[in-house]
Structure formats: structure tokens, C-alpha cells
Amino acid sequence: MNVGSISSDVIGIAALFFTINLAKRNAVVDVYKTKIYILASTITIIILSLEIMDIWGQSLQNVEHIWLYKLENVVGFLLTPVVPFVLLYLYNNDINNNKIFYSFPLLLNSVISIATYKTGWIFYFDQAAAYHRGSLFAIPIVIGFFYYILFMISILRNDSKYDRDDMLFLKYVFFMPVLGVSLQLQFIDFHIVWPSVALSLLLYYIFLRELQFKYDVISGIMNRKAFEREMEIYDNKDNVVAVVVLDLNDLKQINDSKGHHAGDKAILISATVLQESFEKIGKAYRIGGDEFCALCEGASEEDVTESLIKLEKLLLEVNNIHDIKIELAYGCAFYIKEEDNSIYETFKCADRRMYEHKAKLKGLYGRRVDDMKRASYNQ
């Protein structure tokens, strides 16, 4: 019996049970992603359990139980591509619109895996109950890698949400199953694939938990801490950065007249509009109670103008369907290292222009006294 493989499988199961329990108690990033993560972890636990049963069964080589060994392997190979397929839902919003493209390989694998019980396409047992790989053994692995590659592409498409350290960590995390598959393909008795998947899921959960510290609870976009870290990075880079400062008008009035729940809703709507408007060119942050900012590295004036036009359009749309009226004042300035002393000076310039825009929206008479003082201070 391969005691080492069983031990690693047991450790993997224990680790996933632990993280599932934590995920149920504390949703990571959002409830939807938590459910996807728990589903992927649960399927991995099932596969690890089947692998333990298979290793134990092969050590016995009981001819009478060949049907059971076949059944365990059929289910295991059937579930092999399901884990990366489920993980795709974490980042890929296109799945529901292209169900045939995404589902066909999974359906194909299911048909081949079930048929293998009789045909021996993926695996078969000889008369002595010894396990052998079939001619189509690589099919579930190839299909699993297909979904895994799509998963990695989906992450890369969302790389604007992560900094360089995040991306480097993710690359290490998701390289582990690739290494595990490579080793197991060469050494048939080296059961390392699913323990490596379990470890990757554990580390990925830790990553998601750490990511929460970068996000604002109410708005769902990145918080001031993440903003300050990004500002430090940009202050030492040579690239052009557009700094767009925004302010949610009359938040205090919304809180006073309709309650803080309505104020939180206004913040969430504002953040959603901001993120959707600038998602192609930059990152959105909530940097204060009613203050937001978008940092757009390498963006042109035309890019920013188009995003602000989109923002105005989205504001009109949301104001037509919500009882809370959202009004955002904004100002923009461009940081060019050769011309500007500091990106923080650029931020002050954008902030001053935002207050000028706020004055136009409200009218000079309607401006709050503290707004006027702050604008005067920044000049």
C-alpha cells in the first residue's frame, strides 16, 4: 500500500475541511465567490477520498471487488475536469452566454469516463485486479487542462485588480497542480495531483482573505490603504498616470433624511458606476466617506474623457431607476514624472478641480462652507 500517497491525500482533505469551515463563517470577497470556492473544494475532497479508496483497493487486488475499483475510478475521472470548470465561474462571466463551448468538453469527458467501465478506454483492470492505463487515459487530463488554462486566462484578464505581488503569488499557487500532473504522468504510483490541488485551493483561500484587507466593505472597491500603496508605486514610476478625484454630493443629507442604509446604498451605487466607467483604463478606490478616486496608468486624455462620458451616462440610468439620486463631482489631472514633483501634487490638483466642478453642479450659493474652505486651502 502506498502509505505516502494516502497520507498526503488525508492531509489535503483535512486542510480543505478546515478552509471550507472558515469560508462558511467568513465569506471571502463576496458570497458568490465563496460558494464557488466551497463547491470546488468539496469536489476535490470527494476526489481525494476516491483516490484513497482506490489506493487501498489496489493494494488488496481482490478480483471480486473489481467492479468497485472500476466505479471509483470512473467517478474520479468524471470529476477530474469539474474542479477547474467550477473555478472558471470565479472570474469568467462569459460562461452562461457560451454554454455549448464551455460545456461540451465536460460532457465529452463524462461520456468517455462512464463508457470506460465497459470499454477500458481510460483505464482497465486485468484478471489479477491490477490497474492499467487505457489508450484514452490522457483525455480527462487534457480537458482538465483546457479548463485550467481558461481559468488562468480569466485571472490574467482581471490582472488590473491585482498588484505585482498578487500576480506573482497566484502564479506560484496555480503552478502547483501543473507540477503535480507532470510528475504523476511520469510516475504512475506517485499520487500527487489532487493533494497539490488541495494545497493550491488552501493557498488561494488565504490569498482571497488577504485580498479583503484591500477592499472597502460598503462599496466593494479597493480601500484607502490600497490606494495609498498604489500612489507610492506610481510616485516612483516614469509612466503617465491620470488621477481622477470624485465626490458624492449630499451624502450627509441622504443619511439624515433617509437613514444610513440609504447612504450606504448611495456609496455602493457610486462605486459601481465608477468601477464600470473606468474598468478598461484604471482602478477605482474609495478613499474617504464620500470620496473616490480612479488611478489610470498610461491613460490618455481621450481615454479619461470617454470614461467620464460613460460615467455621466450611467448616472442618468441609475437615477432613473433608484429613488436615491446620485450626483458625482469630479476633477482630473495627469501626473508626468518629468514635469511634476510628486503624484501627490497631481492629486491635489485633481481634488481642486473636483471642487470647482462641485461648485458648478451646486451653484456658488449652494456650496457648503467647508467645501469652500477646502478649495481655498488647496489653491
Side-chain angles (χ1 to χ4, degrees):
M1 184 184 298
N2 194 331
V3 178
S5 295
I6 290 180
S7 299
S8 60
D9 286 346
V10 170
I11 293 173
I13 291 172
L16 288 177
F17 268 121
F18 176 73
T19 51
I20 287 174
N21 182 54
L22 286 179
K24 286 181 177 179
R25 292 168 55 189
N26 303 285
V28 286
V29 181
D30 60 53
V31 175
Y32 173 76
K33 287 188 176 181
T34 299
K35 289 181 179 179
I36 296 296
Y37 175 84
I38 290 175
L39 177 58
S41 298
T42 302
I43 296 171
T44 304
I45 288 174
I46 294 171
I47 295 173
L48 284 167
S49 301
L50 289 170
E51 191 167 79
I52 291 173
M53 294 171 62
D54 183 53
I55 294 171
W56 178 72
Q58 288 185 42
S59 68
L60 297 178
Q61 290 191 335
N62 190 328
V63 177
E64 296 179 358
H65 292 157
I66 287 181
W67 67 273
L68 180 59
Y69 307 153
K70 285 184 177 181
L71 185 60
E72 291 167 357
N73 278 273
V74 164
V75 176
F77 281 107
L78 190 148
L79 293 177
T80 292
V82 176
V83 173
F85 176 78
V86 169
L87 289 174
L88 260 178
Y89 277 88
L90 286 172
Y91 294 101
N92 195 322
N93 299 320
D94 191 45
I95 293 180
N96 291 327
N97 298 326
N98 295 278
K99 290 183 178 179
I100 295 177
F101 172 76
Y102 289 103
S103 301
F104 178 75
L106 199 65
L107 179 62
L108 176 64
N109 180 73
S110 299
V111 171
I112 294 175
S113 297
I114 294 172
T116 293
Y117 188 91
K118 292 289 188 181
T119 63
W121 283 340
I122 299 176
F123 67 89
Y124 63 92
F125 290 87
D126 60 25
Q127 294 181 347
Y131 175 90
H132 299 277
R133 293 175 176 176
S135 58
L136 301 182
F137 175 80
I139 293 296
I141 298 174
V142 170
I143 293 176
F145 259 102
F146 167 74
Y147 288 123
Y148 199 74
I149 291 171
L150 290 179
F151 176 51
M152 292 299 298
I153 292 173
S154 298
I155 290 177
L156 293 175
R157 284 180 177 175
N158 287 270
D159 64 351
S160 61
K161 296 181 180 179
Y162 308 124
D163 57 34
R164 292 180 180 179
D165 292 339
D166 292 335
M167 291 303 297
L168 182 61
F169 184 81
L170 283 174
K171 288 176 182 178
Y172 281 125
V173 167
F174 295 117
F175 176 72
M176 290 180 184
V178 176
L179 179 61
V181 169
S182 301
L183 291 173
Q184 191 158 326
L185 285 174
Q186 292 185 356
F187 307 102
I188 190 171
D189 295 325
F190 197 36
H191 297 272
I192 195 63
V193 173
W194 291 106
S196 65
V197 171
L199 180 59
S200 290
L201 287 171
L202 171 61
L203 292 174
Y204 185 60
Y205 176 81
I206 294 172
F207 169 78
L208 291 178
R209 292 293 295 166
E210 183 182 355
L211 204 62
Q212 281 189 309
F213 294 106
K214 299 180 181 180
Y215 282 82
D216 177 64
V217 176
I218 296 175
S219 65
I221 61 177
M222 285 183 283
N223 58 24
R224 187 177 185 88
K225 182 179 179 181
F227 168 76
E228 290 175 348
R229 181 180 179 183
E230 199 76 1
M231 288 283 281
E232 290 177 5
I233 294 173
Y234 287 145
D235 200 40
N236 296 311
K237 294 177 70 173
D238 294 331
N239 205 355
V240 175
V241 181
V243 180
V244 185
V245 178
L246 305 97
D247 188 271
L248 171 58
N249 287 341
D250 302 320
L251 178 60
K252 186 177 184 302
Q253 292 182 18
I254 295 173
N255 285 327
D256 292 343
S257 62
K258 298 186 178 182
H260 286 279
H261 176 74
D264 291 346
K265 183 178 179 181
I267 291 171
L268 176 60
I269 294 172
S270 301
T272 303
V273 168
L274 172 60
Q275 188 168 42
E276 187 172 342
S277 301
F278 284 86
E279 62 182 351
K280 292 183 179 180
I281 65 170
K283 301 176 184 178
Y285 303 85
R286 184 188 179 200
I287 58 176
D290 54 4
E291 296 176 295
F292 302 87
C293 187
L295 297 176
C296 312
E297 184 179 12
S300 65
E301 290 188 25
E302 183 181 358
D303 294 331
V304 175
T305 300
E306 289 179 357
S307 294
L308 288 173
I309 291 173
K310 184 176 182 180
L311 181 136
E312 294 281 8
K313 180 182 178 182
L314 290 175
L315 284 176
L316 287 174
E317 292 177 0
V318 298
N319 283 333
N320 285 331
I321 60 176
H322 292 289
D323 56 341
I324 304 171
K325 300 307 176 185
I326 307 298
E327 187 179 75
L328 290 171
Y330 51 79
C332 176
F334 284 82
Y335 171 68
I336 303 174
K337 193 172 181 65
E338 293 81 6
E339 301 177 5
D340 302 309
N341 294 327
S342 168
I343 194 171
Y344 301 100
E345 293 297 323
T346 305
F347 176 84
K348 287 182 180 180
C349 179
D351 192 51
R352 183 170 62 250
R353 290 173 180 173
M354 180 274 292
Y355 275 95
E356 292 171 356
H357 183 219
K358 179 187 283 286
K360 292 178 182 179
L361 291 174
K362 287 187 163 188
L364 184 59
Y365 180 79
R367 287 182 64 189
R368 296 182 304 207
V369 175
D370 57 338
D371 286 354
M372 295 177 66
K373 288 181 178 179
R374 184 175 177 183
S376 176
Y377 174 79
N378 287 324
Q379 286 177 349

